[in-house]
Amino acid sequence: MSVIMGQTLLTLVVILFLQSVYSQLQVGFYRNSCSLVEFIVKDEVRKGFTKDGGVAAGLVRMHFHDCFVRGCDASVLIDSTPTNTAEKDSTANNPSLRGFEVIDNAKARLNSVCKGVVSCADIVAFAARDSVEITGGLGYDVPAGRRDGRVSLASESNTNLPPPTLTVNQLTQFFANKGLTQEEMVTLSGAHTIGRSHCNSFSNRLYKFNGTTGQDPSLNPMYAAQLMKQCPQGNTNPNLVVPMNPASPSITDIGYYNDILKNRGLFTSDQTLLTDPATASQVNQNAMNPMFWRNKFAASMVKMGQLGVLTGNAGEIRANCRIINS
């Protein structure tokens, strides 16, 4: 067998495998069993967003952090116990992850109309989509049918979630390990156009960048000065936060990419996208074509939402999203 034929067969096997995984989820999965599910979740997202405009960014991030650890199985929702520290209490998630009350409220309402039918994992996926839409992004159909996992380990969050200090090559590999392309990595990074960051996620760029300079030279000096006022050196307040995209922190737009082009990317993992010709080209394309990026972002969210899903008889339908069934 020739090398080319072997590579072609391998590619075909991978495609067929991915198709078999993706086909396990279906748009309209609850059409007959719980037809109001998406309306109820959307309503709870709207209520949460009205109380706190930042909850939308939290729910998008929650979906990402769920899917990258054990797949999209709602393991990120499980509470810690005296004998186990769960994902939500890992350093990657606590205190930054938020929006749990929206999921709880949606689950409580769903339990009253179709108890034991809708998984917490699907609620998270629906809520992320609704959060994108409510902040100005494109809505998209969410294939459903996920089931909930029964394991949640903080240690797995710390090893499976990309820290904000990664280089473009490290990011590319991180996403490739999850079956996502470099372009999808750049596209999904655009989620940083909404939300906030705790100071300790980027303060190394302001004060302790390396042995020869205190400040990251790739960071816009005026922006750095602004950040230093918001995050003073030696600050010990763990709750001090700044907006990811100061110009439009509650709008899903291409402001993130414009910031990067102005050397105003907040994280090392944001600004690093300009250090590679391919990713820099994608940053430019996204910045110039808002609708192009919105469409790619919606498609990438659908793909990410199908990572490592449990379906059929695997997992469970959790009665309480915070606790595995007894």
Side-chain angles (χ1 to χ4, degrees):
M1 183 185 295
S2 70
V3 173
I4 293 177
M5 184 177 293
Q7 291 176 335
T8 302
L9 286 173
L10 177 60
T11 301
L12 181 60
V13 169
V14 171
I15 290 172
L16 290 173
F17 170 74
L18 290 174
Q19 286 177 339
S20 69
V21 171
Y22 293 169
S23 64
Q24 294 175 41
L25 302 183
Q26 301 171 16
V27 173
F29 181 82
Y30 296 105
R31 185 177 294 113
N32 298 320
S33 58
C34 191
S35 60
L36 292 177
V37 55
E38 295 188 53
F39 170 81
I40 289 172
V41 174
K42 188 184 291 284
D43 189 50
E44 289 303 325
V45 170
R46 181 188 58 77
K47 289 178 182 176
F49 183 73
T50 300
K51 291 179 182 176
D52 175 7
V55 79
L59 290 168
V60 173
R61 186 164 179 261
M62 180 187 292
H63 188 35
F64 172 77
H65 282 216
D66 183 35
C67 292
F68 262 53
V69 183
R70 290 188 166 264
C72 312
D73 67 345
S75 53
V76 75
L77 303 178
I78 296 175
D79 283 346
S80 295
T81 67
T83 58
N84 178 65
T85 304
E87 291 174 31
K88 63 166 56 171
D89 289 318
S90 67
T91 54
N93 288 327
N94 189 357
S96 59
L97 213 57
R98 53 184 172 156
F100 294 105
E101 70 285 352
V102 173
I103 307 301
D104 290 338
N105 293 340
K107 183 64 173 179
R109 284 180 63 183
L110 289 167
N111 278 344
S112 69
V113 295
C114 44
K115 188 175 179 67
V117 173
V118 180
S119 70
C120 300
D122 279 341
I123 295 174
V124 171
F126 290 140
R129 182 270 312 277
D130 298 335
S131 296
V132 170
E133 191 171 15
I134 203 170
T135 53
L138 283 185
Y140 52 89
D141 290 332
V142 175
R146 300 166 187 80
R147 287 172 65 85
D148 300 323
R150 296 177 55 84
V151 176
S152 183
L153 303 170
S155 58
E156 293 185 342
S157 288
N158 294 328
T159 55
N160 281 281
L161 294 173
T165 53
L166 294 189
T167 65
V168 68
N169 290 334
Q170 292 170 325
L171 277 173
T172 299
Q173 188 58 55
F174 230 102
F175 277 70
N177 291 343
K178 304 298 180 182
L180 296 165
T181 67
Q182 185 182 68
E183 183 172 8
E184 287 164 339
M185 177 270 288
V186 176
T187 300
L188 289 168
S189 294
H192 284 174
T193 190
I194 55 175
R196 65 189 187 184
S197 169
H198 287 74
C199 291
N200 59 10
S201 293
F202 59 86
S203 58
N204 65 302
R205 300 187 70 200
L206 302 175
Y207 305 111
K208 299 177 181 178
F209 186 64
N210 58 37
T212 58
T213 178
Q215 195 175 108
D216 184 344
S218 70
L219 187 61
N220 179 294
M222 291 182 65
Y223 185 43
Q226 175 185 330
L227 291 173
M228 290 169 78
K229 290 180 181 178
Q230 295 171 292
C231 300
Q233 187 171 17
N235 157 67
T236 57
N237 181 359
N239 298 314
L240 206 57
V241 295
V242 301
M244 294 292 299
N245 169 215
S248 53
S250 298
I251 303 173
T252 295
D253 58 15
I254 44 83
Y256 167 79
Y257 300 104
N258 288 326
D259 279 346
I260 291 175
L261 292 173
K262 297 173 184 175
N263 292 325
R264 291 167 59 95
L266 188 60
F267 296 158
T268 298
S269 57
D270 296 322
Q271 199 58 48
T272 190
L273 299 182
L274 282 192
T275 64
D276 176 87
T279 56
S281 174
Q282 291 158 27
V283 168
N284 273 286
Q285 287 178 4
N286 293 338
M288 292 186 295
N289 299 280
M291 189 52 66
F292 175 66
W293 172 72
R294 282 187 170 96
N295 277 290
K296 286 200 303 177
F297 186 74
S300 297
M301 286 290 285
V302 171
K303 181 176 177 180
M304 184 194 74
Q306 303 186 67
L307 297 180
V309 295
L310 301 174
T311 60
N313 293 320
E316 63 185 17
I317 303 296
R318 235 175 271 151
N320 178 337
C321 291
R322 296 173 176 266
I323 306 169
I324 61 173
N325 295 343
S326 57

